Amino acid sequence: MTTFTRLAIPEIVLVQPVRHGDARGYFCETYKKPEFDAFGIDIAFVQDNESLSREVGVVRGLHFQTPPQAQAKLVRAVRGSIFDVAVDIRTGSPTFGKWVGVTLTAASGDQLFVPHGFAHGFCTLEPDTIVAYKVDAPYSPAHDAGIRWDDPAIGVDWPVEAGRAVLSGKDQKAPLLADYASPFVYVAAGA
Ligand SMILES: Cc1cn([C@H]2C[C@H](O)[C@@H](COP(=O)(O)OP(=O)(O)O[C@H]3O[C@H](C)C(=O)[C@H](O)[C@H]3O)O2)c(=O)[nH]c1=O
């Protein structure tokens, strides 16, 4: 059975599927909806993504899609490894502007679930790292948004020096969280 562990921000969940090893290698059910339903995550993924980052220190993020095309994500490294980060951008949240980060490696098969209302990004820890992730809304350029990866008010402890990060032009120009009117609003669990 897959293990689900809520992290310091409880909406962010470490997901650890079982690998069935044998002399050939292993078999792993990398996603099984009934297990997510049983844990209490009601999700219907509609798109699978994959990105290759050739260098160590590639930072992709901090990204999200705005409502009504907000995306929850289930992220894993299928080659190499990443430091994966989620930032709470839900206005009114007790953890607004706070972040959690975990190391995801192809070797471990660990995954991170990031729900709506969180910016997501990662930094590669090995060359030629491939990241695969499922999303529950299709890509919508009109709803694609981001905040600065190195926003000092968020203070993500990235494993790369600021001047050595490999960034897209878009990510270099992203706004600080303080300068961004987040469209996400916190709703307490069970409210
Ligand atoms: C996200 C996405 C991108 N694209 C196209 C758009 C560009 O022509 C090209 C690269 O896009 P971008 O620079 O936004 O790719 P990343 O920097 O890896 O973005 C991702 O980075 C972080 C880690 C995320 O969590 C998001 O899923 C996503 O924003 O792929 C598509 O065609 N479909 C898509 O779903």
Side-chain angles (χ1 to χ4, degrees), residues 47 49 60 63 73 120-122 133 139 144 170-171:
Q47 179 176 310
N49 297 328
R60 296 177 184 255
H63 301 158
K73 299 166 185 168
H120 173 251
F122 62 79
Y133 51 107
Y139 176 56
D144 193 28
K170 176 183 74 171
D171 289 347

Side-chain angles (χ1 to χ4, degrees), residues 166-174:
V166 181
L167 298 159
S168 67
K170 176 183 74 171
D171 289 347
Q172 291 178 31
K173 300 192 293 277

